[in-house]
Amino acid sequence: VNFTCQEINRELALQHSFDGDFVTIDMKEASDRVSAWLVQSLFPRDMQRYLFATRSEKTVLPDGRCIDLKKFAPMGSAVCFPVEALTFWSLAVGSLRRITRAKDMKSLPEVYVYGDDIILHSEDYAIIKPVFEELSLKFNDDKCSTGRFFRESCGLDAFKLECVTPLKVKTRWSDSSPAADLSWISYVNSLRERGFLASSDKLRGKVTQKLGVVPVSNKH
């Protein structure tokens, strides 16, 4: 389970976009489907005291109604990401251990988790899916890569050992805000990193014309 580095999952997706030994799985509505009951069932009792001290028990709807929350935590909670990662990993590993009857953890097939991005052996996909669905956890079938060559994990799209992640413009050029300006600077850098030098230089000229001279970091 990785909490701070997504490069392991990204590298695995790239590596196995040719041999197909591993598949990449993406969860649908991941944080909303990890229930408080599931966390109580999986985590040690002494840890639950601290985990549940961080969660909101209720929420107020736009119409003024107040409802009880069944999910453990929404996106934005400090413990949402690590709890869902540990939950998905433990369910996957527990399912495989029950099926394989492995005597220890070292003999189990590898499972890699970063948040709601899961990577595991292709033959293990059919083993864990019904277990997750029984607990109201859903796979995002549109983003699960179980075919021959394409793999996607942690924002990296891979096909036959090549990175094919598209570069996406996230803000309009007409937007005027520090966040929008930073987004376009990031886009200039991304173009250069991917080898699109002419496009990067062209857009950099427009950014400089709009903002003035932009400091150059050690990386760019």
Side-chain angles (χ1 to χ4, degrees), residues 120-137:
L120 74 168
H121 288 273
S122 55
E123 61 267 25
D124 296 332
Y125 173 77
I127 295 176
I128 74 164
K129 186 175 183 180
V131 176
F132 276 56
E133 291 177 343
E134 187 175 345
L135 295 168
S136 298
L137 301 171

Side-chain angles (χ1 to χ4, degrees), residues 2-118:
N2 298 295
F3 300 112
T4 59
C5 179
Q6 61 183 358
E7 292 306 314
I8 295 175
N9 274 41
R10 291 165 64 92
E11 182 60 33
L12 285 168
L14 188 64
Q15 176 184 343
H16 295 289
S17 63
F18 187 81
D19 57 36
D21 289 346
F22 282 73
V23 297
T24 57
I25 298 172
D26 185 81
M27 303 301 298
K28 186 175 184 179
E29 302 164 350
S31 60
D32 291 336
R33 290 185 171 273
V34 175
S35 66
W37 170 84
L38 187 55
V39 173
Q40 283 181 322
S41 303
L42 290 175
F43 284 79
R45 187 173 299 275
D46 58 345
M47 189 182 296
Q48 291 180 29
R49 172 187 174 188
Y50 303 101
L51 289 176
F52 279 84
T54 68
R55 73 180 289 263
S56 298
E57 298 180 351
K58 302 176 183 294
T59 189
V60 179
L61 300 179
D63 63 6
R65 287 181 296 148
C66 182
I67 62 172
D68 295 327
L69 293 176
K70 294 183 178 180
K71 62 184 174 183
F72 171 70
M75 288 290 290
S77 166
V79 294
C80 176
F81 183 87
V83 165
E84 71 177 15
L86 285 169
T87 296
F88 299 148
W89 181 85
S90 61
L91 290 175
V93 170
S95 302
L96 295 175
R97 188 169 188 178
R98 183 182 64 178
I99 296 296
T100 62
R101 299 184 182 276
K103 294 181 179 180
D104 54 61
M105 298 293 290
K106 293 182 180 180
S107 60
L108 283 170
E110 301 97 324
V111 177
Y112 298 88
V113 178
Y114 182 85
D116 65 340
D117 285 276
I118 305 170

